Amino acid sequence: MAKEYNATQILKWYLESGIDEALEEKPVNHFILQATTEDKEADSIPVVSTDTSSNSKTPVKLISLSDTTKSAYAAAKAADTLETLRDAMSAFEGCPLKQTAKNLVFGNGPVSPKLMLIGEAPGAEEDRQGRPFVGPAGQLLERMLKAISIERGDVYITNILPWRPPGNRTPTDTEIAACMPFIERQIELVSPEILILVGGVSAKTLLGTTHGIMRTRGKWLEYKREGGLEGIPARAILHPAYLLRSPAQKRETWMDLLAIQQRMSETSQKL
Ligand code: URA
Ligand code: URA
């Protein structure tokens, strides 16, 4: 006779097998989805129905990426405080990650800070709490800042994407493009003296480069937008989630942290 397992044992087995998230009630056949959306992926975004009567979460229509970007730019530009920007992001339907995420993870910290840190996207703990960098990577980031005498409460921290990609996968170019107007506006409204780009995705996105993090870190660069105000000095650092897996790379990051500390002391002397 087959051995019977109770629910706790089955859950434990799921957890050990790496199944730790329930995303949808029904399984999704990705082969079918891929066939219908694949060639449209480059220039359009599947929009998920928010019609509560249907209770369905399958993509119902495709809108063009340029329309999504236009609506995101319009919404971001109209926001003239961080609060209204957060509301505009909550109301934005152009990024499908919103449907699988539990919470919008907006930035937090003081305005006009010396430092603004921008990571990639929320992880599981950030998604649960609705706050950036509160999981293991966030705790390491906090210790890294402390090592150069910076308190977390004195810096503004946010991410390129405000919604967690399922299973922490790397965000797609389409998802990043859809949310780009919001992070650009957030930088304008926060108006930091120095930007720290945390990890490869953040650095690539905001510096508009295809170079990997190993080539962008280790030097001062500039974040600048066409028609924008003055450029902001920017420094890319290795992502703390990566440092947790490859502690040997902490040495490089320590050099970057010291350079940031040095630059901060120079800017405060000018004031
Ligand atoms: N990794 C990120 O890039 N951002 C977070 O908020 C957490 C982990
Ligand atoms: N890859 C990334 O994307 N970021 C890092 O910091 C390191 C490797």
Side-chain angles (χ1 to χ4, degrees):
M1 202 179 83
K3 187 167 185 274
E4 285 193 14
Y5 293 93
N6 66 30
T8 318
Q9 285 172 313
I10 293 170
L11 273 177
K12 193 158 173 268
W13 180 79
Y14 276 156
L15 204 59
E16 279 164 7
S17 315
I19 303 165
D20 61 355
E21 293 280 321
L23 295 176
E24 304 278 353
E25 282 179 23
K26 296 200 188 110
V28 177
N29 186 335
H30 289 279
F31 293 102
I32 292 177
L33 266 185
Q34 218 171 13
T36 53
T37 59
E38 198 168 46
D39 26 45
K40 298 182 182 123
E41 164 78 6
D43 61 359
S44 59
I45 288 180
V47 174
V48 174
S49 171
T50 48
D51 176 0
T52 46
S53 63
S54 78
N55 219 7
S56 131
K57 285 197 168 181
T58 44
V60 290
K61 61 175 175 165
L62 293 166
I63 60 171
S64 78
L65 181 57
S66 71
D67 283 353
T68 308
T69 308
K70 268 187 230 147
S71 80
Y73 267 110
K77 209 170 149 213
D80 49 16
T81 63
L82 288 166
E83 287 73 29
T84 50
L85 183 66
R86 178 206 276 259
D87 293 344
M89 285 163 74
S90 300
F92 182 60
E93 297 294 342
C95 180
L97 292 177
K98 182 182 179 180
Q99 306 301 324
T100 45
K102 293 188 182 73
N103 281 302
L104 171 89
V105 178
F106 194 71
N108 83 12
V111 287
S112 304
K114 273 185 175 287
L115 285 190
M116 176 175 186
L117 283 81
I118 307 180
E120 177 175 324
E125 194 53 35
E126 289 77 19
D127 184 40
R128 252 189 291 279
Q129 296 190 29
R131 290 189 297 138
F133 281 106
V134 289
Q139 285 157 19
L140 176 55
L141 186 63
E142 212 168 308
R143 289 202 298 276
M144 286 157 62
L145 291 172
K146 258 219 151 87
I148 50 167
S149 310
I150 298 170
E151 292 299 324
R152 184 190 171 115
D154 294 335
V155 301
Y156 190 95
I157 303 187
T158 192
N159 285 300
I160 298 284
L161 285 171
W163 293 290
R164 180 195 185 203
N168 295 348
R169 66 162 168 75
T170 303
T172 66
D173 290 348
T174 315
E175 288 157 356
I176 292 174
C179 297
M180 192 68 179
F182 296 113
I183 188 62
E184 288 182 1
R185 186 69 177 143
Q186 209 174 335
I187 296 170
E188 256 173 8
L189 291 171
V190 170
S191 181
E193 286 177 25
I194 296 170
L195 270 180
I196 308 297
L197 312 174
V198 183
V201 169
S202 173
K204 263 190 197 157
T205 304
L206 293 173
L207 299 170
T209 169
T210 53
H211 290 154
I213 184 77
M214 297 304 174
R215 283 189 64 184
T216 42
R217 65 150 292 278
K219 54 189 169 225
W220 285 103
L221 299 158
E222 191 178 59
Y223 167 83
K224 191 153 173 49
R225 280 295 161 267
E226 222 176 290
L229 304 170
E230 272 174 65
I232 303 173
R235 187 120 187 162
I237 62 170
L238 294 174
H239 198 291
Y242 172 76
L243 295 177
L244 286 171
R245 296 191 301 270
S246 316
Q249 303 282 343
K250 283 185 181 168
R251 199 185 149 87
E252 264 72 34
T253 306
W254 180 234
M255 298 298 156
D256 287 320
L257 291 171
L258 289 176
I260 292 162
Q261 187 179 38
Q262 172 73 24
R263 182 94 183 208
M264 284 176 69
S265 70
E266 287 165 12
T267 54
S268 59
Q269 276 165 15
K270 269 193 259 160
L271 296 177

